[in-house]
């Protein structure tokens, strides 16, 4: 439970509380406007509380994911077969057009060098 009391989590808790309260307040404000005769506000009267419920659902999901140790998705999806596929494409093109194959080898080398700097 201590991990939910770090500064980052405390900020998320505060944000969830502020958003939940604000969305319910906006819903109440729209309800007052709807009763005053603004027909369009009836839709917003129900929409804002739905947003508030969404905030609670996402907050609970984040808590459960952290508790269960669910890791976020990786930023870069590595393709282990990419180099083999690239070599096969270059080999096929070399038979058809050697100049194009040389250019593709050059591009593949530049591409592999740019990934090393990341």
């Amino acid at each position: 439970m201590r991990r939910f009391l770090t500064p980052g989590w405390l900020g998320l808790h505060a944000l969830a509380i502020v958003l939940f309260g604000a969305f319910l307040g906006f819903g109440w404000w729209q309800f007052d406007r709807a009763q005053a005769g603004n027909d369009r506000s009836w839709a917003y009267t129900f929409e804002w509380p739905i947003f508030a419920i969404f905030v609670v659902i996402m907050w609970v999901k984040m808590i459960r994911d952290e508790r269960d140790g669910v890791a976020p998705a990786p930023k870069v999806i590595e393709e282990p077969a990419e180099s083999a596929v690239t070599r096969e494409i270059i080999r096929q093109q070399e038979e058809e057009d050697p100049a194009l194959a040389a250019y593709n080898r050059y591009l593949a080398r530049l591409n592999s060098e740019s990934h090393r700097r990341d």
Side-chain angles (χ1 to χ4, degrees), residues 93 97-105:
Q93 289 176 347
D97 186 0
L100 179 62
Y103 181 68
N104 284 333
R105 276 194 302 277

Side-chain angles (χ1 to χ4, degrees), residues 16-31 44-53 55-56:
I17 291 168
V18 167
L19 286 175
F20 181 77
F23 291 165
L24 287 180
F26 292 152
W28 187 259
W29 170 60
Q30 290 295 332
F31 179 70
Y44 296 122
T45 298
F46 299 104
E47 185 176 292
W48 284 111
I50 290 171
F51 290 158
I53 292 169
V55 167
V56 171

Side-chain angles (χ1 to χ4, degrees), residues 36-106:
N38 187 347
D39 291 336
R40 186 179 298 169
S41 291
W42 282 112
Y44 296 122
T45 298
F46 299 104
E47 185 176 292
W48 284 111
I50 290 171
F51 290 158
I53 292 169
F54 179 75
V55 167
V56 171
I57 290 170
M58 291 309 297
W59 179 76
V60 168
K61 182 184 179 336
M62 288 172 47
I63 295 285
R64 285 184 179 170
D65 286 350
E66 179 69 23
R67 187 190 63 203
D68 296 340
V70 176
K75 293 181 181 177
V76 177
I77 299 174
E78 296 184 21
E79 296 288 336
E82 184 177 356
S83 60
V85 170
T86 304
R87 282 194 305 269
E88 179 62 26
I89 291 171
I90 291 172
R91 187 192 64 75
Q92 288 176 358
Q93 289 176 347
E94 202 164 51
E95 294 171 0
E96 297 171 10
D97 186 0
L100 179 62
Y103 181 68
N104 284 333
R105 276 194 302 277
Y106 169 72

